[in-house]
Amino acid sequence: MTQQNVTVAVTGAGGTGVAKALLSLRNMVAVTEAGSTVYPVIPTYYNVPETLAQLRDEFVERVLQFLGLPGTDRYQWDGRDTAARREHTQAQ
């Protein structure tokens, strides 16, 4: 069995202005051409996060799922909502 290396480039907003946006796009193309996967940091507000820690936890869970690693189903979308969203609405 051969081991396969997986590289995921997590990207966020790299500043403002056309020059920085173009540089970010070029960098994403370069790492993709090198065999990496670009995984953007895009928060999902349907989970109704109340803290930065909740945004972080949800993002980490999505990256784990993307990589095929074990995680929880707390943020798994089931077509209507998620466990995190249900907990938020029940707490109110």
Side-chain angles (χ1 to χ4, degrees):
M1 183 172 161
T2 61
Q3 180 180 359
Q4 181 179 353
N5 293 324
V6 176
T7 304
V8 177
V10 177
T11 65
T16 59
V18 173
K20 287 189 178 186
L22 186 55
L23 180 60
S24 291
L25 289 171
R26 286 182 178 146
N27 288 336
M28 287 188 275
V29 167
V31 298
T32 301
E33 289 174 341
S36 296
T37 299
V38 175
Y39 198 92
V41 178
I42 301 174
T44 56
Y45 293 106
Y46 54 77
N47 287 314
V48 196
E50 295 179 344
T51 66
L52 288 176
Q54 289 172 336
L55 282 171
R56 177 207 57 215
D57 292 347
E58 187 269 337
F59 178 72
V60 168
E61 287 290 332
R62 287 188 318 160
V63 170
L64 290 174
Q65 180 182 6
F66 175 78
L67 293 173
L69 299 172
T72 70
D73 63 353
R74 179 169 164 69
Y75 298 101
Q76 185 73 34
W77 183 254
D78 68 6
R80 292 184 342 164
D81 62 6
T82 64
R85 184 178 174 87
R86 285 189 296 274
E87 289 171 14
H88 176 78
T89 54
Q90 290 172 356
Q92 292 181 348

